[in-house]
Amino acid sequence: MRVMGLSAIQPFLTILTAILFLDSSTALEFPHELVNEILPEFTNAAQSPISAPYSPAQSPSNENPSPLTPALFVIGDSSVDCGTNNFLGTFARADRPPYGRDFDTHQATGRFCNGRIPVDFLALRLGLPFVPSYLGQTGSVNDMVRGVNYASAGAGIIFSSGSELGQHISLTQQIQQVMDTFQQFILSMGENAAYDLISSSIFYISIGSNDYIHYYLRNVSNVQSLYLPWNFNQFLAQTMKQEIENLYNANVRNVVLMGLAPLGCAPYYLWLYSSANGECIEVINNMILEFNFAMKYMVEELNHVLPDANIVFCDAFEGSMDIIKNHDYYGFDVTTDACCGLGKYRGWIMCIATNMACSNATNHIWWDQFHPTAAVNEILADNVWSGQHTSMCSPMNLKDMISRNGKQ
């Protein structure tokens, strides 16, 4: 294993110190400028072709003349952000190498991964192009009729989750952007055509991790004394229920809601809790299990009371634990250490430089402190699509949903 010298680590320590001790208003308003000032070589990298923002034209030629669904709309956090945060003042950015090094274009697009994120693989399955970021497209209806990705790294179900990282688009704000998009559709194609497009499309929601990472586990506003984990999960589930009902009232009918992956196994928490042998942090995973249970129950309720609703819950915890426990079968040699980072389990400092990354990410489960590699994303996407490896979606998988809609 390569060990970095003090001179190589010093810039990262400088950034860490600046984040902790710089005047808070400066750090939160212009964090990207802070990083560029401390590590100017990153600015040059960001302006080079390898870090050019992703555009739909760069995606592989995967659009089918007759896709299985009209469009794919994505709401969420860094698990599915495809470039929203490239346009925001935030520390939560993935617009520089080594992010994207194994992506189709070998460019840092804003995806928090070495390659594709789950919705990229699902777009291929659906016969659609990679979905563009809401902030990264021109705003024309032609750019959005095949889908839009509203996801923003750092976002949570709670409005203020992740705010210490800088700007982000919260769940509520993303839902408002969805409504704005719908208004554009109605004005452009008329109500009937717009409602038909909306009701026939797939809405993929993946959010909630930051409500733990940047809110509950940090005990922001003394939240742990006000809410036990179960009560906190119930609050999150009820908030999500209201937002899904808002989408339903706007004629959305097909929703895939992702549960949370086992955060207690993430390299950051292995480092923070000083895991001795790479064992997952049980107290955190128990919270995630409760969250997923609450979300699954909420989905069952909504399917029961909302006519024509097809809402699917997919348990990312179950799918991820299957990968971790059967890592040899899936071809993963490294199950605890991130491919990119510093410190024990490479979980201490986030991935911010190319020389912090391993040479081969395909045999790693974790790409950085919190995010899986593209190889894991593909397996999870296969499970969402058809339960190919693990049946983790209820009451049906996405393929079944498409088939069911086709028969109606």
Side-chain angles (χ1 to χ4, degrees), residues 264-335:
C265 303
Y268 174 78
Y269 287 115
L270 298 186
W271 164 77
L272 185 66
Y273 283 71
S274 301
S275 175
N277 301 305
E279 296 179 357
C280 300
I281 310 306
E282 189 174 353
V283 65
I284 297 178
N285 278 350
N286 285 341
M287 295 181 193
I288 303 306
L289 283 169
E290 288 185 351
F291 173 93
N292 288 348
F293 180 84
M295 289 293 177
K296 182 178 181 181
Y297 181 77
M298 178 268 292
V299 165
E300 291 174 354
E301 280 188 318
L302 287 178
N303 279 323
H304 182 71
V305 301
L306 299 179
D308 301 322
N310 292 317
I311 307 173
V312 169
F313 175 78
C314 295
D315 193 337
F317 187 100
E318 185 176 349
S320 299
M321 291 306 296
D322 171 63
I323 295 171
I324 292 172
K325 291 176 181 178
N326 301 295
H327 57 90
D328 289 333
Y329 169 79
Y330 289 108
F332 296 111
D333 301 324
V334 186
T335 62

Side-chain angles (χ1 to χ4, degrees), residues 166-326:
Q167 296 175 325
H168 67 263
I169 312 299
S170 70
L171 174 62
T172 302
Q173 292 170 318
Q174 290 180 43
I175 298 295
Q176 184 56 58
Q177 290 178 337
V178 171
M179 300 305 173
D180 291 344
T181 302
F182 290 175
Q183 287 299 315
Q184 288 182 263
F185 288 165
I186 292 170
L187 292 173
S188 174
M189 61 184 71
E191 283 192 8
N192 291 338
Y195 287 157
D196 184 60
L197 170 65
I198 295 164
S199 65
S200 303
S201 296
I202 303 298
F203 287 75
Y204 183 103
I205 304 175
S206 178
I207 198 166
S209 292
N210 292 311
D211 296 295
Y212 289 92
I213 297 171
H214 297 292
Y215 197 85
Y216 194 82
L217 293 174
R218 291 181 65 244
N219 200 23
V220 173
S221 301
N222 204 29
V223 64
Q224 293 178 14
S225 67
L226 301 174
Y227 292 92
L228 293 174
W230 176 248
N231 301 118
F232 184 67
N233 285 323
Q234 290 296 311
F235 173 76
L236 295 178
Q238 289 305 308
T239 304
M240 178 61 75
K241 180 181 180 182
Q242 182 61 58
E243 296 296 1
I244 292 177
E245 288 175 338
N246 290 339
L247 290 172
Y248 178 86
N249 292 334
N251 224 44
V252 171
R253 293 295 180 267
N254 305 302
V255 177
V256 175
L257 177 62
M258 293 299 297
L260 300 186
L263 283 179
C265 303
Y268 174 78
Y269 287 115
L270 298 186
W271 164 77
L272 185 66
Y273 283 71
S274 301
S275 175
N277 301 305
E279 296 179 357
C280 300
I281 310 306
E282 189 174 353
V283 65
I284 297 178
N285 278 350
N286 285 341
M287 295 181 193
I288 303 306
L289 283 169
E290 288 185 351
F291 173 93
N292 288 348
F293 180 84
M295 289 293 177
K296 182 178 181 181
Y297 181 77
M298 178 268 292
V299 165
E300 291 174 354
E301 280 188 318
L302 287 178
N303 279 323
H304 182 71
V305 301
L306 299 179
D308 301 322
N310 292 317
I311 307 173
V312 169
F313 175 78
C314 295
D315 193 337
F317 187 100
E318 185 176 349
S320 299
M321 291 306 296
D322 171 63
I323 295 171
I324 292 172
K325 291 176 181 178
N326 301 295

